[in-house]
Amino acid sequence: MPILPPQFDSHSAWDLLLEAEAGRIGFDQRLLNSLLARAEETLAALVRFSSEIRPDALLDLNEQVFDLFHHFNSPQAIPFYLRRIQQAQDGIPDELVEAFAALGQPAVEPLLEAVAKAEEDDRGDLIFLLAALGVRDARIPPILERVLDADPYEGALCIGLYHDPAMAPAVERALAALPTDAPAQQERKALEDCREELAAGETVHDRPQFEILKLYPEAAPPLFESLPEDQVEEYLSCDFPEYRCAAALSLCDEEYSADTRDALLKQAREDSDAQVRAAALRALGSVCDADAEVREYLLAVLSREGPGVAERGSAAVALANGPGSGVLHEAIQALYQIPEARADAVEAMWRSHDPRYRRYIGENLRHADAAVRASAATAVGAYPIPELAIELAPLFDDEATREQALFAYALAAPGKTSAKSVEKLFEKIDELAGGLTLPEADDVASALDMRLEIAGLPPVFYTDEPAQTGREGEEHVHGPDCGHDHAHPPAPAAGVKVGRNEPCPCGSGKKFKKCHGAPA
């Protein structure tokens, strides 16, 4: 049975980590608060969790494990930190430097041992970490002086970071030994800066506190889109409405088994929570066209009077996936006039692809309700409506609508569709949006490939692969979050904003900051 947020404290830290790795728990502040409240148990679980290899794991939680270790600031994290250094492909991440620096004295001995065992090419980063500790230890200055002799520039950086005034004579000797010609000016500048820093005397390191909770959402659902269908079905009847609702919504526009269909219909009819009933109704849109019982129930919900606007809106959205009818048209028009149902009405419009509704879309791009604006933006791409594409640009600056507007603009922007034109359009969207994050770049690339496929052309960002299967063996639909290897979008233009530790979109497998995002 699923482990639900109210039950977190009654389960071991080890079990919670395994469930999160399996995608069955969202990594959110509720989970973190449960883990942080029992530091000793969680640290022991983290040590074990980070040292074992579990080939069947759905998610890689290395970043989350690192954040937890960083929060606890315990020497028990050092073996994990050292393994991360070995795995680093191009320099040590800043956050790892900060984590070692926060440990201070307990990190000295392990780092000295690592320096002694490391190959020559790997020692530089470890020595930099030793300097960053700022711990006075008689064994460290001779190491830094050897670096200074071999590479004055690197040595100056490390000694300046170590900030021990007693090393000033060594810096002076290095300066005196430097030639005065132009090629040595960079080294001279670094040494002079280092000398000034040492002359300022000892400094107290003011290290900011690592605030782990700020890195994670207050609430996050399990990764339902990646779970087997039978597991998702378990959540449909669990005792936590938030998870029941998210599980039902994950089944929208998906193919699913008769058992799941029965579970959704049961929740739509009987669930005590209105949001869950609405979510289940929406998910039933996948089968309403071929399932007379489902369609009949959706029509019955649609015709209800009084409360239950959210359920009627979801029924309209579900029915819009099938053949149109006069009853549906009248219901959409009625829902459109109800403020809290406007977003659902607009979604039902674009899902129906009925040209009668195109005239409603433009006015809703400027609606006060963000959900309505987002639905209208999606409509521009779904129809598509090229003449409204330019009106999507202001929505790029609106966090509530940016995702939908970017995707829709890629589908609807006027102009011819060809392999060359969509690559130029990718660059134009990146510029208009003020830079794309990696997930945004993936979404735009997916939309542009969809545009090519609609035009009968092969995709350029995600190449065809042999069919891979998803739930119940159905053919997998590729997308930016599907977890398969694809040809990737081009490396982002200069303005692309890539999030913390995200993989580079060039397809190298490296993190962006260690690949196309690395300093020149």
Side-chain angles (χ1 to χ4, degrees):
M1 290 297 293
I3 298 177
L4 309 175
Q7 303 166 343
F8 285 171
D9 291 346
S10 63
H11 287 266
S12 70
W14 173 255
D15 286 344
L16 293 178
L17 289 171
L18 288 179
E19 286 291 284
E21 183 182 59
R24 291 171 57 84
I25 289 178
F27 218 99
D28 57 21
Q29 292 183 19
R30 297 173 298 194
L31 174 60
L32 285 170
N33 282 323
S34 180
L35 294 172
L36 300 182
R38 33 184 164 160
E40 186 175 345
E41 178 194 345
T42 299
L43 272 170
L46 287 171
V47 170
R48 176 185 172 191
F49 188 86
S50 62
S51 62
E52 291 184 359
I53 297 175
R54 292 170 296 281
D56 296 332
L58 177 65
L59 301 177
D60 179 355
L61 295 187
N62 265 339
E63 294 301 327
Q64 291 84 349
V65 168
F66 170 79
D67 288 338
L68 284 163
F69 270 136
H70 193 175
H71 168 85
F72 288 123
N73 197 32
S74 166
Q76 294 181 64
I78 292 175
F80 175 73
Y81 290 170
L82 290 174
R83 287 195 296 273
R84 283 180 69 92
I85 292 173
Q86 294 171 352
Q87 295 163 1
Q89 296 175 326
D90 185 17
I92 299 176
D94 291 344
E95 59 268 21
L96 193 51
V97 176
E98 294 166 3
F100 265 108
L103 283 170
Q105 180 66 51
V108 172
E109 200 66 42
L111 280 175
L112 285 171
E113 291 179 7
V115 169
K117 294 177 181 178
E119 299 289 338
E120 185 67 32
D121 290 344
D122 298 330
R123 285 180 186 158
D125 286 338
L126 294 168
I127 293 171
F128 182 84
L129 281 176
L130 266 176
L133 293 179
V135 175
R136 298 294 173 258
D137 186 293
R139 294 168 292 179
I140 296 178
I143 295 174
L144 299 183
E145 288 189 26
R146 287 196 291 272
V147 175
L148 186 65
D149 292 339
D151 184 342
Y153 181 83
E154 185 69 22
L157 294 180
C158 288
I159 293 172
L161 187 62
Y162 190 58
H163 214 94
D164 182 359
M167 298 199 69
V171 175
E172 292 289 357
R173 288 194 299 272
L175 266 170
L178 272 183
T180 57
D181 56 356
Q185 289 308 305
Q186 187 180 34
E187 288 85 352
R188 180 170 295 280
K189 178 67 166 58
L191 287 166
E192 289 172 348
D193 290 345
C194 178
R195 179 173 61 185
E196 289 182 15
E197 292 173 10
L198 297 181
E202 293 276 4
T203 60
V204 177
H205 292 285
D206 183 18
R207 306 195 192 281
Q209 183 178 2
F210 181 67
E211 299 181 276
I212 187 173
L213 291 178
K214 290 186 176 180
L215 300 177
Y216 294 89
E218 291 183 8
L223 197 63
F224 289 122
E225 290 78 4
S226 299
L227 295 182
E229 185 181 320
D230 60 337
Q231 291 188 25
V232 177
E233 191 179 327
E234 290 179 11
Y235 287 87
L236 289 174
S237 58
C238 73
D239 291 332
F240 198 57
E242 179 190 318
Y243 277 13
R244 295 201 304 273
C245 186
L249 290 176
S250 75
L251 294 165
C252 291
D253 302 317
E254 295 281 347
E255 294 182 10
Y256 44 73
S257 68
D259 287 343
T260 299
R261 173 265 192 201
D262 292 344
L264 284 169
L265 189 55
K266 177 180 173 63
Q267 296 309 119
R269 285 172 165 158
E270 303 175 8
D271 200 281
S272 59
D273 188 281
Q275 286 188 317
V276 177
R277 294 196 300 272
L281 287 165
R282 191 175 294 250
L284 287 169
S286 298
V287 298
C288 73
D289 190 19
D291 191 316
E293 182 184 4
V294 168
R295 184 171 179 81
E296 181 180 344
Y297 184 69
L298 290 170
L299 287 169
V301 172
L302 195 63
S303 63
R304 289 176 185 167
E305 298 292 339
V309 170
E311 292 167 69
R312 285 157 51 204
S314 289
V317 169
L319 287 164
N321 291 302
S325 68
V327 172
L328 177 59
H329 176 64
E330 291 175 6
I332 291 174
Q333 296 279 37
L335 289 166
Y336 188 81
Q337 301 304 321
I338 303 172
E340 59 267 36
R342 174 70 66 91
D344 285 340
V346 174
E347 181 175 351
M349 288 176 178
W350 66 254
R351 282 185 176 274
S352 74
H353 290 282
D354 189 324
R356 290 178 293 179
Y357 301 130
R358 289 169 62 105
R359 63 187 179 88
Y360 292 95
I361 305 306
E363 64 186 18
N364 286 292
L365 290 172
R366 299 174 294 278
H367 198 279
D369 186 335
V372 175
R373 295 197 304 275
S375 190
T378 302
V380 174
Y383 269 106
I385 311 176
E387 62 270 23
L388 291 180
I390 191 62
E391 296 190 34
L392 294 172
L395 301 185
F396 296 166
D397 298 326
D398 183 347
E399 184 178 349
T401 58
R402 180 177 170 92
E403 178 183 353
Q404 293 84 358
L406 289 170
F407 197 89
Y409 189 94
L411 288 170
K416 66 179 182 179
T417 299
S418 67
K420 187 174 183 180
S421 69
V422 297
E423 290 179 351
K424 290 182 177 178
L425 184 53
F426 182 95
E427 295 174 0
K428 179 181 178 180
I429 294 171
D430 175 58
E431 180 180 356
L432 287 173
L436 299 171
T437 65
L438 180 59
E440 288 171 349
D442 273 345
D443 283 350
V444 169
S446 290
L448 292 172
D449 272 351
M450 187 184 301
R451 179 175 178 144
L452 286 166
E453 290 169 5
I454 291 171
L457 300 171
V460 298
F461 297 106
Y462 296 92
T463 58
D464 289 334
E465 296 176 14
Q468 302 187 48
T469 58
R471 295 177 181 152
E472 296 295 317
E474 77 254 20
E475 185 174 339
H476 174 74
V477 178
H478 293 290
D481 299 316
C482 71
H484 293 160
D485 292 328
H486 304 98
H488 293 261
V496 170
K497 298 177 291 184
V498 178
R500 179 173 177 261
N501 291 312
E502 290 173 339
C504 185
C506 74
S508 67
K510 298 181 181 180
K511 293 177 183 177
F512 177 71
K513 65 185 177 185
K514 299 176 186 175
C515 191
H516 282 86

